[in-house]
Amino acid sequence: MKRLWSAALAFLLAVGAGPAVAQAPTRPAGDPGPPLSGYPRSALRAPTPAELKTATYVRDVIYGHRDGMALTYDVFKPVKNANGALVVNMVSAGWNSSWAPPEERQARYQALIDKGFTVVALYHASAPRFQVPDAVADVRLGMRHIKLHAADYGADPARIGVWGASAGGHLALVAGMMADDGNPAAANPLEHSGNRIAAVVAYFPPTDLAALLQGRPKVGAIAFDDKLLASVSPILSVDARDPPTLILQGDADRGVPPAQAESMHVALDRVGVENRLKLFAGADHDFYVRGDPAKTDAYAIDAMNEMVAWFESHLRK
């Protein structure tokens, strides 16, 4: 389901305001297509019995409710050599947040777990019933809960990073650029707590939804009033207190054009926030290089290594 929504998002953004009736080009023989959310294909598998022994889980932690339904996250705690830092993965593709049991998803996080990071898979109210502004509100609330309870998971609340791809990359930037110190007057006691974080990694993220989605078909997650586009665009919240940010982007991305990442890079430079933008030559959305699965996977592996290294540099003591 997540693969379908990721492809749907890229297709929707690529076709513009025209009717979504065109068919995607036929892939060359032997080409499995884009990997889910830019993961290496080796991470899109069931974990091995040995890997399952490297983490324990705190399941279905409830951080809030929307329309009577629980909003949750799962925690992956390394069994050995925990380094005290925590990385939150925004589980979102096309702003669809598809839950799976932790034991099925662990391989995606194994590179972080092996380095001693605690990992949180954060879920939000999902498209198509809910839209982007709902997801933004949910993850900002979820980050408050995670930071407030980080010590319960053996992690330092001052050493939290966030990572996501595509819609998840957008939400990772939301967590970084739209963070605050809490609101003592808020009706929800959880909102009294701050949600500032220490590092962000975003793969091919939408950054300026006002520019990206203006005039697009009102379908699914983006079926909300254009007046709200600015309020869910992290580029418009950039300031000097934002965390160090790494953006990884294909320079041939037709779903989320590189200009989105380049604009964020410029905005962060302007206010003096440490950041880096790495472009992958010839890569479309999900680091996909059509007709070259070896290069696609090489890019995805490189991106994961860059992500882990960024968090090691900025979250480890």
Side-chain angles (χ1 to χ4, degrees):
M1 180 63 73
K2 282 186 67 185
R3 184 185 301 278
L4 294 174
W5 271 96
S6 182
L9 171 66
F11 177 73
L12 175 62
L13 299 180
V15 299
V21 295
Q23 294 183 346
T26 302
R27 293 195 297 268
D31 183 351
L36 172 65
S37 297
Y39 279 103
R41 297 194 192 281
S42 60
L44 297 172
R45 56 168 173 80
T48 66
E51 287 171 338
L52 288 172
K53 294 178 181 178
T54 66
T56 60
Y57 313 132
V58 183
R59 301 170 185 266
D60 297 322
V61 179
I62 297 174
Y63 67 86
H65 294 84
R66 182 174 290 282
D67 287 5
M69 297 180 289
L71 302 167
T72 69
Y73 59 80
D74 292 322
V75 184
F76 300 71
K77 298 172 61 176
V79 171
K80 295 181 179 179
N81 304 317
N83 64 29
L86 184 151
V87 174
V88 180
N89 176 233
M90 297 294 181
V91 182
S92 188
W95 294 282
N96 177 279
S97 195
S98 180
W99 179 86
E103 58 270 20
E104 294 181 10
R105 188 155 276 165
Q106 184 176 323
R108 303 180 190 184
Y109 306 139
Q110 198 64 46
L112 288 164
I113 293 168
D114 287 345
K115 294 292 187 179
F117 289 96
T118 298
V119 179
V120 170
L122 178 61
Y123 302 95
H124 60 78
S126 189
R129 177 172 178 177
F130 299 99
Q131 283 77 49
V132 176
D134 302 310
V136 166
D138 291 347
V139 301
R140 295 187 68 218
L141 184 69
M143 292 306 302
R144 299 184 200 280
H145 195 282
I146 291 165
K147 187 167 184 177
L148 188 63
H149 292 276
D152 298 339
Y153 314 130
D156 180 349
R159 292 192 288 141
I160 295 176
V162 174
W163 155 54
S166 195
H170 162 254
L171 295 173
L173 293 174
V174 163
M177 281 78 228
M178 297 174 67
D180 59 47
D181 297 314
N183 177 9
N188 183 348
L190 184 55
E191 294 184 13
H192 300 176
S193 300
N195 56 5
R196 294 192 185 274
I197 56 176
V200 172
V201 177
Y203 290 5
F204 33 88
T207 66
D208 183 353
L209 274 69
L212 188 67
L213 301 181
Q214 193 82 39
R216 305 288 181 175
K218 293 296 186 182
V219 178
I222 64 172
F224 62 94
D225 195 318
D226 283 351
K227 293 178 181 178
L228 298 177
L229 285 167
S231 70
V232 296
S233 296
I235 196 168
L236 301 180
S237 295
V238 167
D239 65 41
R241 295 189 65 182
D242 291 339
T245 298
L246 171 66
I247 301 177
L248 303 170
Q249 171 83 41
D251 71 0
D253 194 325
R254 294 172 298 169
V256 180
Q260 290 277 308
E262 291 163 348
S263 295
M264 178 61 79
H265 175 54
V266 169
L268 291 169
D269 274 351
R270 187 178 296 124
V271 297
V273 170
E274 179 187 355
N275 76 100
R276 184 162 70 91
L277 169 61
K278 180 170 182 175
L279 296 172
F280 292 85
D284 202 336
H285 207 60
D286 297 323
F287 305 128
Y288 176 50
V289 181
R290 186 172 182 269
D292 196 339
K295 180 170 281 190
T296 297
D297 207 47
Y299 281 166
I301 291 169
D302 188 6
M304 181 161 280
N305 290 337
E306 291 270 8
M307 177 269 291
V308 174
W310 190 261
F311 289 135
E312 286 208 289
S313 174
H314 293 90
L315 299 183
R316 295 191 67 160
K317 287 184 176 178

